[in-house]
Amino acid sequence: MLIRSPKRWQLPESAATPEDVFLNRRVLMKGALALGTAGVAYGAATRDANALFGLFDGDGGNDVPLTVEGDPTADLYPAFANPDFANGGRALTNEIDAATYNNFYEFGSHKGIWRAAQDLQTRPWAVVFDGMVEEERTVDIDTLIRAMQLEERVYRHRCVEAWAMTVPWTGFPMRDLVEYARPLSSARYVRMETFNDSSMASGQRQTWYSWPYTEGLTMEEATHDLAFMVTGVYGKPIAKQYGAPIRLAVPWKYGFKSAKSLVRFTFTDERPVTFWEEANANEYGFWANVNPEVPHPRWSQASERLLGGEERVPTQLYNGYAEEVAGLYSDVSGEPLFM
Ligand code: MTE
């Protein structure tokens, strides 16, 4: 993965939606919820804010999509903000910055893939549960999402390339998805797979990568309280560039573990070889836990740049979640846990 500077077309900080606009929208929305008119008022507030900041104006101004228009689960947003995960420990990243600086190699290897990612067709969308499960199943994404209790959690995200953001994801614990899949007790890992369709994802025409994108977790990791399936962001159904309609967030690991636009969960007793591990096992291992003291072979991991500016802050062990997750690795030895 390359480190690139933000592109010229990115909004200047002054033109982007400030965090307090997002927060004010939430306050407004909460009031509207009390009146039982949340959908209408929140939608209107969002449109007003978008008009104010020149989004979706269709007249050559900035038109960064911040959700998928017409998403059939839109009525579920915004979800209950879980107070146990309400504070990511840092200021929220500006929404436009998060929505315009992405890694999604299916649509290109540069950070400005948000435009190309709009070619992603997110409906119909099926999710398969297979491998070591009581019964293999294919489930429509809307059935799956409606079977879950959605909540909002603010998480830090640390890319292996040494940039970071703090965002309010909406979704449900991965543990609930594992329960839904009914794996056999002999399953030790879950392998996740992204869609594979080069007709809509131009990056998948690049044959030097081994598509589809895959990732994997141990069952202990997948059922840890922090492992989160993401279906929304900033109080709305997740926009395509973030990995709609469903992605993972494992905040104590480098960002490449948080696979996007998932279509398959395979339970297995063999450790999966993941997309980046296959591409370059010396740089992107299976565990990929964040550690400032273990440099990437080509750069230091001691600090990270916060999206939206040039400020750098010290990187923390397990991205600041050591208290919660260090115990997962107490019995693992002789493994490169931090790359
Ligand atoms: N998932 C897929 N399918 N394809 C990708 O290229 N990139 C990963 C991860 N998930 C990637 C992916 C990397 S390297 C990071 S840092 C995060 O997505 C970026 O998430 P964001 O674009 O929402 O910030």
Side-chain angles (χ1 to χ4, degrees), residues 102-106 157 159 165 194 213 247 255 258 260:
N102 303 95
N103 273 331
F104 202 169
Y105 276 65
E106 285 81 347
H157 173 99
C159 179
M165 62 181 184
T194 295
Y213 195 102
R247 67 170 285 173
S258 293
K260 297 181 168 188

Side-chain angles (χ1 to χ4, degrees), residues 80-120:
F80 162 75
N82 186 333
D84 294 342
F85 304 94
N87 177 358
R90 287 180 186 159
L92 280 188
T93 299
N94 176 296
E95 185 174 4
I96 304 285
D97 289 322
T100 55
Y101 193 88
N102 303 95
N103 273 331
F104 202 169
Y105 276 65
E106 285 81 347
F107 295 97
S109 55
H110 57 93
K111 296 295 178 279
I113 56 72
W114 64 268
R115 282 184 199 280
Q118 303 316 309
D119 289 343
L120 176 64

Side-chain angles (χ1 to χ4, degrees), residues 95-255:
E95 185 174 4
I96 304 285
D97 289 322
T100 55
Y101 193 88
N102 303 95
N103 273 331
F104 202 169
Y105 276 65
E106 285 81 347
F107 295 97
S109 55
H110 57 93
K111 296 295 178 279
I113 56 72
W114 64 268
R115 282 184 199 280
Q118 303 316 309
D119 289 343
L120 176 64
Q121 295 305 310
T122 54
R123 296 296 187 286
W125 192 276
V127 178
V128 177
F129 299 102
D130 64 4
M132 300 173 78
V133 287
E134 284 175 23
E135 188 190 1
E136 292 195 3
R137 272 194 299 171
T138 301
V139 183
D140 174 68
I141 187 67
D142 298 317
T143 306
L144 177 66
I145 293 175
R146 288 188 187 280
M148 299 293 156
Q149 183 69 50
L150 298 192
E151 63 182 56
E152 183 178 88
R153 295 182 176 191
V154 178
Y155 274 179
R156 292 186 295 282
H157 173 99
R158 169 55 156 87
C159 179
V160 72
E161 297 163 336
W163 55 266
M165 62 181 184
T166 305
V167 292
W169 299 122
T170 303
F172 53 89
M174 188 171 185
R175 186 194 293 132
D176 295 353
L177 178 127
V178 169
E179 263 175 36
Y180 187 89
R182 300 203 302 272
L184 303 180
S185 56
S186 44
R188 295 183 52 209
Y189 301 92
V190 54
R191 174 186 181 276
M192 288 153 276
E193 192 176 298
T194 295
F195 74 89
N196 193 7
D197 182 350
S198 61
S199 70
M200 61 182 177
S202 56
Q204 290 184 326
R205 289 174 218 145
Q206 311 292 4
T207 49
W208 53 82
Y209 288 119
S210 182
W211 306 108
Y213 195 102
T214 56
E215 257 308 333
L217 295 174
T218 65
M219 291 298 283
E220 292 72 28
E221 290 174 329
T223 54
H224 188 277
D225 201 26
L226 281 172
F228 200 55
M229 300 310 310
V230 172
T231 59
V233 66
Y234 291 94
K236 302 178 283 292
I238 191 169
K240 295 179 180 183
Q241 60 270 35
Y242 294 104
I246 188 165
R247 67 170 285 173
L248 177 66
V250 274
W252 70 97
K253 290 178 177 285
Y254 289 118

